[in-house]
Amino acid sequence: MQEGKHRILMLLQTAWVLLVVFVLKGCAQNLPPAKYDGFVYGHPRVDSDSILIEAFFDPVCPDSRDAWPPLKQALQHYAPRISVVVHLLPLPYHDNAFVSSRALHIVNQLNASATFPLLEWFFKNQEKYYNAQTRNLSRVAVANDIVNSVTEVVGNSYHSDLESGLNDRKTDLKTRVSFKYSASRGVYATPTFFLNGFVLPDAGSPTDFNGWKKIFDPLVGNEASKNQENLHFFL
């Protein structure tokens, strides 16, 4: 009798494992995406001479909020040598990170020039979407509030597109792809920065403008080749 129960349990466990593998394999078939993940800031020339910063942000993360202004200042200071691509990583312990990230993907698809103004709006107003502030609200209520708020940022003509976008499986998949891309790069905290493919230290903490200057000055100055050794801590 006990042996029979053990066999049944083993069969159920095996079936569960096979189901998980099947689902993961099915999800993996959505990858790689048709285009590279991320939002390019401005209209920079991205080529072999550009210094590429990849920033991983959560739109309702306070540290991401604090990290963006000094990075933006550095980008403007060193233009056109610096290019920035922002990847969205909706952290699972931020209840409204996924729907906020999804709204950004929808707007980027509708009007790419509105993507970063909307990201900055989320940074400025993120407190209204913190866990404590929305604890007693349903997911539908939060989503409706985001649609109405985003409409005020990007224009009333986009209201119906935003509503339908939140019910579109494609925008859900785009947001998931961003999450999976972050995971594939080993990113687990926001903000996280990569410089020309190498991760910078102190993930999860914002870097001020002087911190960026210490990083960029050796790379963009006339003595860049001599100062490469100063960046050995990245390797």
Side-chain angles (χ1 to χ4, degrees):
M1 185 69 176
Q2 292 297 327
E3 291 182 359
K5 290 183 178 180
H6 180 72
R7 288 179 181 177
I8 293 174
L9 181 60
M10 291 297 294
L11 287 172
L12 289 173
Q13 290 176 336
T14 302
W16 174 251
V17 171
L18 290 174
L19 177 62
V20 170
V21 170
F22 176 78
V23 170
L24 290 177
K25 183 178 180 181
C27 291
Q29 290 176 350
N30 294 319
L31 302 173
K35 59 180 293 188
Y36 191 75
D37 180 76
F39 307 135
V40 179
Y41 181 73
H43 301 282
R45 180 192 66 185
V46 181
D47 55 30
S48 59
D49 293 326
S50 298
I51 297 170
L52 177 61
I53 290 290
E54 292 179 89
F56 292 79
F57 288 155
D58 177 335
V60 293
C61 166
D63 289 324
S64 295
R65 174 198 62 200
D66 296 342
W68 174 238
L71 176 58
K72 183 179 178 181
Q73 182 183 0
L75 177 63
Q76 295 169 342
H77 181 78
Y78 292 100
R81 291 294 310 280
I82 310 295
S83 300
V84 172
V85 176
V86 170
H87 304 281
L88 298 179
L89 173 56
L91 296 171
Y93 42 83
H94 292 156
D95 292 344
N96 303 305
F98 191 87
V99 67
S100 301
S101 298
R102 194 172 177 181
L104 282 159
H105 278 288
I106 295 170
V107 167
N108 185 70
Q109 183 175 314
L110 295 171
N111 181 5
S113 64
T115 303
F116 280 91
L118 180 58
L119 177 63
E120 292 177 350
W121 181 89
F122 271 116
F123 284 156
K124 182 179 179 180
N125 299 277
Q126 64 178 210
E127 290 186 9
K128 67 185 294 189
Y129 299 118
Y130 286 172
N131 295 4
Q133 280 73 2
T134 60
R135 181 181 295 115
N136 297 320
L137 298 177
S138 68
R139 294 177 61 183
V140 172
V142 173
N144 288 338
D145 183 83
I146 286 178
V147 167
N148 292 331
S149 297
V150 170
T151 297
E152 294 179 3
V153 178
V154 300
N156 292 330
S157 61
Y158 293 105
H159 188 272
S160 61
D161 291 321
L162 287 164
E163 283 187 321
S164 60
L166 286 180
N167 294 305
D168 187 346
R169 175 67 173 166
K170 293 180 180 178
T171 65
D172 178 75
L173 290 176
K174 281 186 177 182
T175 312
R176 295 185 186 210
V177 165
S178 293
F179 180 89
K180 292 177 181 180
Y181 176 78
S182 301
S184 74
R185 298 290 296 275
V187 178
Y188 59 88
T190 58
T192 293
F193 302 103
F194 282 73
L195 189 155
N196 290 340
F198 287 89
V199 65
L200 298 181
D202 300 323
S205 300
T207 300
D208 61 20
F209 178 67
N210 289 330
W212 285 119
K213 279 182 62 65
K214 292 178 182 178
I215 293 171
F216 290 139
D217 281 347
L219 296 176
V220 302
N222 294 329
E223 299 297 319
S225 60
K226 295 181 181 179
N227 290 325
Q228 288 292 332
E229 60 184 12
N230 293 332
L231 302 178
H232 67 277
F233 56 90
F234 297 142
L235 305 179

